[in-house]
């Protein structure tokens, strides 16, 4: 079975689809057996595509994108090896849904994988009410964390 990673943000139209497609790019380049997707803690945008500014930021950086927003469901915990929250609010919401300690242990913050982030604020800011520069900032924060996340995935695949 492939290793399964999901990213979770608020509405699943900005941060989590951006992280999804950046990680997909990297695991595909390396030929790793990994499935990647994303969802949101809220249902406001279910069925919508990614925010056009997300799609454009990804395109400018050389990534592809295709996305339909969905909401994270409590029953999904068992389907994932790693559940990556984009900020502490998302992590709290996920922990409150988690059926047990094992599920809670699979929840991590994306910026935990960025060695430059340190122990400070590990939130990826929500660019929704911002402009192009805000989306580019988020893209940079995601890209900075992806090498560490890929290392984590590689290690988990070796142990499997």
């Amino acid at each position: 079975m492939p290793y399964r990673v999901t990213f979770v943000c608020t509405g699943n139209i900005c941060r989590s689809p951006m992280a999804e497609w950046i990680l997909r790019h990297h695991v595909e380049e390396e030929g790793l057996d990994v499935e990647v997707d994303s969802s949101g803690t809220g249902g406001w945008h279910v069925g919508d595509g990614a925010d056009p500014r997300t799609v454009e930021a990804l395109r400018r950086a050389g990534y592809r994108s295709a996305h339909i927003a969905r909401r994270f469901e409590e029953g999904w915990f068992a389907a994932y090896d790693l559940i990556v929250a984009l900020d502490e609010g998302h992590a709290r919401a996920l922990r409150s849904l988690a059926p047990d300690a094992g599920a809670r242990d699979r929840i991590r913050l994306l910026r935990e994988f960025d060695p430059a982030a340190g122990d400070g604020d590990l939130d990826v800011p929500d660019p929704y009410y911002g402009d192009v520069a805000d989306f580019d900032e988020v893209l940079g924060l995601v890209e900075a964390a992806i090498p560490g996340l890929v290392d984590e995935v590689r290690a988990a695949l070796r142990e499997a």
Side-chain angles (χ1 to χ4, degrees):
M1 281 184 55
Y3 190 83
R4 297 205 59 218
V5 178
T6 192
F7 293 96
V8 180
C9 71
T10 306
N12 192 219
I13 60 168
C14 297
R15 293 171 283 181
S16 58
M18 189 179 289
E20 172 187 348
W21 284 94
I22 293 171
L23 180 60
R24 277 183 185 212
H25 172 84
H26 288 277
V27 297
E28 286 172 5
E29 270 194 343
E30 292 196 28
L32 299 175
D33 189 14
V34 180
E35 288 181 9
V36 185
D37 61 31
S38 65
S39 58
T41 58
W44 312 277
H45 298 288
V46 168
D48 294 345
D51 187 294
R53 297 166 295 177
T54 295
V55 174
E56 184 57 25
L58 286 166
R59 187 197 62 74
R60 281 194 316 274
Y63 302 105
R64 59 190 167 87
S65 161
H67 181 73
I68 300 296
R70 61 195 190 133
R71 183 177 186 175
F72 189 89
E73 308 245 344
E74 184 177 343
W76 294 357
F77 279 97
Y80 293 104
D81 299 292
L82 186 60
I83 301 164
V84 184
L86 276 290
D87 71 28
E88 185 55 45
H90 306 133
R92 272 193 309 276
L94 289 163
R95 285 192 292 269
S96 75
L97 286 176
D100 55 41
R104 283 188 295 279
D105 288 345
R106 291 193 303 276
I107 301 166
R108 304 277 299 276
L109 286 167
L110 175 63
R111 294 198 65 219
E112 289 178 31
F113 298 101
D114 178 358
D119 293 329
D121 181 9
L122 296 179
D123 289 354
V124 175
D126 188 351
Y128 185 75
Y129 294 104
D131 59 18
V132 170
D134 296 300
F135 282 80
D136 288 342
E137 175 190 5
V138 166
L139 188 127
L141 292 171
V142 171
E143 286 184 320
I146 291 298
L149 179 52
V150 170
D151 288 345
E152 176 95 359
V153 168
R154 261 196 242 102
L157 288 168
R158 278 193 301 272
E159 292 174 10

